[in-house]
Each structure stands twice: as C-alpha cells, then as structure tokens.
Amino acid sequence: MQIVRQLDPLRDALAEFRKAGSKIGLVPTMGALHAGHMRLVEVAKQRCDKVVASIFVNPAQFGEGEDLDAYPRQEAADADLLRAAGVSLLWAPTADQIYPEGYATNVSVGGVSDGLCGAARPGHFDGVATVVAKLFNQTRPDAAFFGEKDYQQLSVIRRMARDLDFTHEIVGVATVRDPDGLALSSRNAYLTAEQRSNAVALPRLMQEAAAAIAAGGELATILAEATAGLLGSGFHKIDYLELRDANNLAILDDFTKPARLFAAAHIGRTRLIDNIPVS
Ligand code: PAF
C-alpha cells in the first residue's frame, strides 16, 4: 500500500490505476479506524478494483470546544489495518494539501444540513461538505463509501454531489454495531466502562421506540418516553430524538414511510449519535 501525502504523487498514482482500467473506490476517513470503517473498505473492495482510503482530521468540521485536539490520531496502526484489508493507496495529506495558504472557499449545503446535528454543531456540515468536495476532486473516484451511522452526513454528501455534478456513485453502508447494539464510533473510546455499559440504552430505547411507532403508537408520547428513558439511564443531555423522512430529512409529526429515527445524546463528556429505519 502506497502512503501519499502530496497531490502530485497522488495524481500520478491514480493515473496509473486508471491507465490499467481499474475502477477506483474512495473511503474517506478521519482515522482512528474501527470495524465500521473496515466494513466500508470491504464493500469498496467488492465493488471496485482499487481502494483508496483517506485519513485527514478535518479542523473545519470541529466547532469551538469540540474534540479536535483530543481526536484520536494513530496513523501507523490505521495504515496497518488498511494494508491488511487490501487498500491500494492511503491518501494522508498534509494540511496544506487540503487548505493551501489563503484558502477561502466554503461548500454549504442547504436543507439537509439544517436540524439534527446541524443545529447542535453549527458549521459542522459546511466543514464536511467542503473537505469531501475536495477529496472527490483530488481523487476523482468511481464510487465513494460512507457509513449510514452518520446518516445526515451521507444525506448532505448525496445532495452536494447532485448539486455540484459529481457523477460518481455515493454508496451508503449499513451501520456496524457491537453485539449489544451500540453503533461503532471512534468516540466510543472516550467512554468509561460504566458509561459504555449504560450507552447501550441508546440503541435499545431507539429500537423500542421504532417498533412502537411502526405499530401505530402516538409519536410525541413515544419520543417523550424514550427521552425520559435515556435520561434515566446515564445520559444527561439529549440534543434530539426525532422522526425524519429518510429521503429529505424533513421532520415528521406523524409516521409516514420512508422514516428514520435519529438521536444524539450526551453521556459523560461524550456525545453519541445513532439512527435506525422505522418500517
Ligand atoms: O465521517 C468522517 O469520518 C468525516 O466526516 C469525513 C467524511 C471523512 C470528512 O472529514
């Protein structure tokens, strides 16, 4: 696996792949890889001839007081995982390859960026859309792979790709969970043993709420009960627990398909998010 940090050698390497007729799959990450990322690589490998993974901890998507400095950085261990998984090239750019001197452009996606994490983390999805647009232009993949764990991010990227005429495929990959149901996230590493054991209330209460909604229960009551359940299980702040249209993320006051239940909740110093389909 080649590890490339500058744009010129990246373009040369990708040109070689294309000359050989290879279909290129891009898996963008911020590192601290876990089984959820490795599932993206696995799906990319099934669909493409060459998999390019990127690791860049993107300052533009972290707000003030968020965990940019503390965000886990472990490139050597990540590179070992990617190499063992058959990734052909790791794009680990230096910061100036993403944000050169004088950088002044922002990609802002309306609609799907509003609400949910967009409300709790102002500017976050501008940062995501901007860096992903850059990664798309830098690598010009045939397909790019993103986890449904960050479903709003996936929706923002799909909208951005349609609006800015990126023609490659955007592939959403189902959330990978621990056996007890907690969605894998780099931020799970911040949980103490007690918080980790309490955190399972998030997927459990969401599953129960989704089943009750699908069974025709009263939405506001179900969401209020699930919120109270989370607050009684070690979570101290709920940013949102909402039912949304799975296609355009419009808020739903009544259950209509396709719908997804979205939650963000704080446990200790960690903010966990999750989403599941309601059907
Ligand atoms: O999901 C992530 O890891 C990041 O938001 C992404 C898509 C790599 C952009 O920095």
Side-chain angles (χ1 to χ4, degrees), residues 3 20 23 53-54 64 75 89 95 113 119 125 130 132 139 165 168 171 194 209 233 246 252 255 272:
I3 302 182
K23 184 174 172 185
S54 66
E64 230 169 87
E75 191 194 287
L89 187 150
S113 292
F125 288 116
T130 301
V132 171
T139 58
D165 302 316
H168 62 267
V171 182
E194 190 189 354
S233 310
L252 295 176
F255 175 43
L272 298 180

Side-chain angles (χ1 to χ4, degrees), residues 27-31 33 37 40 54-59 61-62 71 99 121 124-125 127-132 135 145-147 150 153 157 186:
V27 178
T29 82
M30 296 204 300
L33 303 181
H37 298 107
L40 301 182
S54 66
I55 296 181
F56 180 69
V57 182
N58 174 34
Q61 67 187 79
F62 289 79
Y71 199 83
Y99 300 118
R121 305 181 68 190
H124 170 70
F125 288 116
V128 170
T130 301
V131 80
V132 171
L135 292 169
F145 299 81
F146 298 89
D150 296 302
Q153 166 172 284
I157 290 164
S186 306

